[in-house]
Amino acid sequence: MSDPLSEIIALLRPRAPSSKLVDAAAPWRARRTEVGLVYYCLLLSGRARLEVDGKPPLDLKEGDFVLIPATQAYTMSSVDPAPLPGLESQRHMRNDGSVRLGHPEGPAGEQLLIGHCSFGSPDAGLLVSLLPDMIVVRGEKRLGDLAGLIRDEARADRPARDMVLEHLLQVLMIEALRSGADTEATPGLLRGLADDRLSSTLRAMHAAPGHLWSVADLAREAGLSRSAFFTRFNRIVGMPPMDYLQNWRITLAKHMLRTRQNSIAEIAEKVGYGSTSAFSVAFSRRVGQPPAHYARTAATAMQMPQDV
């Protein structure tokens, strides 16, 4: 059976991490305004408060892990004592690459491992929309071990470093997503895969994207009536079932066009369109250009030097 989560993470191609150890002495507050990056934080000791713009504050304790696939601006701060309003703590960089927040002397009340990375896929925005916008995992040691490996690898200069980091980041994200399935996950693929009725439907769509699915077919996979299935899917996954299916089909089509694995007619059939013209219309509506033009543009882009 298809594994939708692994497929999506592999297509996202996480890369270029920045990972650092942070010691903090309360009271402290750090504000970051980079948006669109993948953010993760493991609280190694103490307590801290995470405030992502537009979301309620989240209190973290030792062993808690947070993954945000596409960050908004956010603030991290101490809990006890809380910082005064408007405080912005100075960051003191150390020779070993770690960071000190708050008073530069004395013991640290909190220690955090914080990382950022980006997604290499041109379809990152579409793929991230299928994931929860925040995952919180409480006290899972495996995530701490993985985050530590990523930090060590990012700071080293070993052969095949980038390849190792990409695979470690994939494992970290999969582990965080599946560990967080029963926690505070927001609507998205993760909650759908954790739902006993919707899991089989999502796996069926990913296993056979070329099948001519209807809402009635998908409802039968879930063992629900059409109306009950539609309502449940929309509430748990965060979008109507046919929108999810079309998003996935177009994502697969773009990947195949970029890698030139098949002809346009073959791609149309593989992703569930009855004719090349129907595929071209659907693709153009979603992507803004016909498949043939997209393939030519992607081929040109691949020949250009890439930023490292």
Side-chain angles (χ1 to χ4, degrees):
M1 184 66 84
S2 176
D3 183 357
L5 193 57
S6 294
E7 289 178 328
I8 287 174
I9 298 299
L11 286 175
L12 279 169
R13 291 166 41 213
R15 65 183 188 182
S18 169
S19 184
K20 57 181 175 288
L21 190 66
V22 178
D23 291 332
W28 58 271
R29 180 188 287 114
R31 172 80 173 165
R32 299 301 292 264
T33 55
E34 298 94 337
V35 298
L37 293 174
V38 185
Y39 168 77
Y40 61 89
C41 172
L42 174 68
L43 190 59
L44 298 172
S45 62
R47 298 169 61 206
R49 178 163 295 157
L50 172 65
E51 298 177 78
V52 178
D53 287 10
K55 292 182 176 296
L58 177 68
D59 284 349
L60 305 174
K61 62 181 184 301
E62 182 176 328
D64 289 352
F65 182 91
V66 179
L67 172 69
I68 306 176
T71 55
Q72 306 298 313
Y74 67 91
T75 301
M76 290 285 293
S77 62
S78 57
V79 174
D80 185 21
L84 294 173
L87 174 69
E88 182 78 16
S89 299
Q90 291 290 321
R91 297 178 177 88
H92 305 281
M93 300 296 299
R94 293 169 169 157
N95 293 334
D96 63 0
S98 64
V99 176
R100 173 76 174 204
L101 286 175
H103 198 280
E105 304 297 333
E110 294 80 35
Q111 189 175 64
L112 311 90
L113 181 61
I114 293 176
H116 296 85
C117 68
S118 61
F119 290 132
S121 171
D123 305 319
L126 186 60
L127 290 163
V128 167
S129 73
L130 306 179
L131 300 175
D133 57 15
M134 180 185 289
I135 297 294
V136 182
V137 182
R138 308 283 187 180
E140 178 57 63
K141 182 178 181 300
R142 286 164 59 89
L143 288 168
D145 293 341
L146 285 166
L149 286 172
I150 289 169
R151 176 175 177 267
D152 290 344
E153 190 66 27
R155 297 176 62 191
D157 187 20
R158 303 185 183 102
R161 169 184 173 273
D162 290 345
M163 180 179 294
V164 171
L165 281 170
E166 183 171 328
H167 287 299
L168 282 173
L169 285 165
Q170 286 186 16
V171 175
L172 175 74
M173 289 179 190
I174 291 171
E175 185 67 26
L177 288 163
R178 70 183 186 182
S179 298
D182 298 321
T183 63
E184 296 100 319
T186 51
L189 174 64
L190 185 61
R191 282 186 59 190
L193 290 173
D195 184 272
D196 57 353
R197 292 301 185 98
L198 299 185
S199 177
S200 59
T201 301
L202 286 162
R203 293 179 187 279
M205 282 193 279
H206 278 254
H211 184 77
L212 299 180
W213 295 106
S214 66
V215 174
D217 293 332
L218 297 171
R220 278 193 292 273
E221 288 282 341
L224 297 167
S225 68
R226 286 184 58 178
S227 60
F229 167 72
F230 185 89
T231 300
R232 187 171 183 143
F233 195 101
N234 205 23
R235 173 174 55 84
I236 292 176
V237 180
M239 65 181 71
M242 299 311 290
D243 283 8
Y244 181 94
L245 178 60
Q246 189 170 35
N247 281 350
W248 182 238
R249 285 170 166 171
I250 295 299
T251 299
L252 291 176
K254 290 173 73 176
H255 177 70
M256 286 187 276
L257 287 165
R258 285 196 303 273
T259 55
R260 292 177 286 182
Q261 297 176 1
N262 305 94
S263 69
I264 291 177
E266 291 170 333
I267 292 172
E269 182 179 0
K270 283 178 176 291
V271 297
Y273 291 91
S275 67
T276 303
S277 60
F279 169 60
S280 182
V281 169
F283 189 93
S284 299
R285 185 164 54 242
R286 285 294 178 112
V287 180
Q289 54 185 304
H293 185 271
Y294 178 86
R296 288 194 298 271
T297 302
T300 301
M302 290 179 66
Q303 294 170 5
M304 298 176 65
Q306 300 295 309
D307 294 334
V308 178

